Amino acid sequence: MIRVNGQAMDCVSAQDRGLAYGDGVFRTLRTEAGQPLWWTDHYAKLAADCAAMMLACPDEAALLAEVLQVAEPGQGVVKIMLTRGLSARGYAVPAESTPTCIVIASALPQHARNAEAIQARWCQLRLARQPRLAGIKHLNRLENVLARAEWNDPAILEGLLCDDSGAVVSGVMSNVLWVKDDALFTPDLDQCGVAGVARKRVLRAAARLGIRTHSGRFLPDELLAADEVMICNSLLGVRRLARLEMKIWSPAGWTSTLNAALYEDVD
């Protein structure tokens, strides 16, 4: 089911700035029994991203009602896209605009239905550093599209991305974490990348469990030296990285611990 501005329809205007420029933000939520997981965190992130992009954020109660209306009765996915709306040609932000809100429901993909360890690869594409957009889940995801086009091997679920200075940033569709000497590490996202809700919840859970955490600039060799490497997003939860090209990790127990804590955390 698809709703656009509260109406059951599947199209937007050709003058929409989301289509023309990627001028907007989005969220992807997992649903269980028709209910969105981690709604409070997702809405808070949507509101923060809207503020950073100078967009009006939808009313929470109204948006949640739409999510509940479209959600699959079992497991599923709901994607919320918010654009700046319509404008005349040109980059200039209109003085007044009415945002376009799109809510789409779909089935939960097969790769999100199990807890198996995954294989990944390094991507050749390098993310550009842009602090103004760092952390925001904006609609312009062309870097991710091009990175994902680098492979078609179905055995490889994810690709890991570095920035133009060679520092590890994230996966194409996920955030990356690793454990070394009983401490949890994750790249700082103040220059590029998306600060995902699952990552936020993992860090919050780690603090609750008394696990030391470190966020900073890390090179690939530091990730490769980890005891256990994981990816996370709102559909997958926390998943262990079993293989990254020629590097193989045996399970060390951290993935199950953090994944359980991720879902135990309350909104």
Side-chain angles (χ1 to χ4, degrees), residues 3 16 23 31 34 55 68 84 106 118 146 164 199 262:
R3 295 180 67 82
D16 195 281
D23 188 1
T31 59
L55 291 169
L68 295 174
R84 200 175 303 276
S106 58
I118 67 164
L146 294 176
D164 56 6
R199 174 182 180 269
L262 176 73

Side-chain angles (χ1 to χ4, degrees), residues 4 9 15 24 80 91 102 152 171 186 215 250-251 257-258:
V4 179
M9 56 192 299
Q15 293 181 303
I80 301 166
Y91 292 130
I102 305 165
N152 57 16
T186 190
S215 176
S250 297
T257 296
L258 291 172

Side-chain angles (χ1 to χ4, degrees), residues 18 22-28 45-58 79-84 100-102 133 135-141:
D23 188 1
V25 297
F26 73 103
R27 303 254 23 98
T28 304
K45 176 60 173 166
L46 179 68
D49 286 356
C50 283
M53 293 280 288
M54 300 178 291
L55 291 169
C57 188
K79 184 173 183 178
I80 301 166
M81 290 182 282
L82 186 70
T83 84
R84 200 175 303 276
T100 300
C101 183
I102 305 165
L133 295 174
I136 301 171
K137 199 164 188 177
H138 54 77
L139 287 173
N140 189 339
R141 303 255 58 92

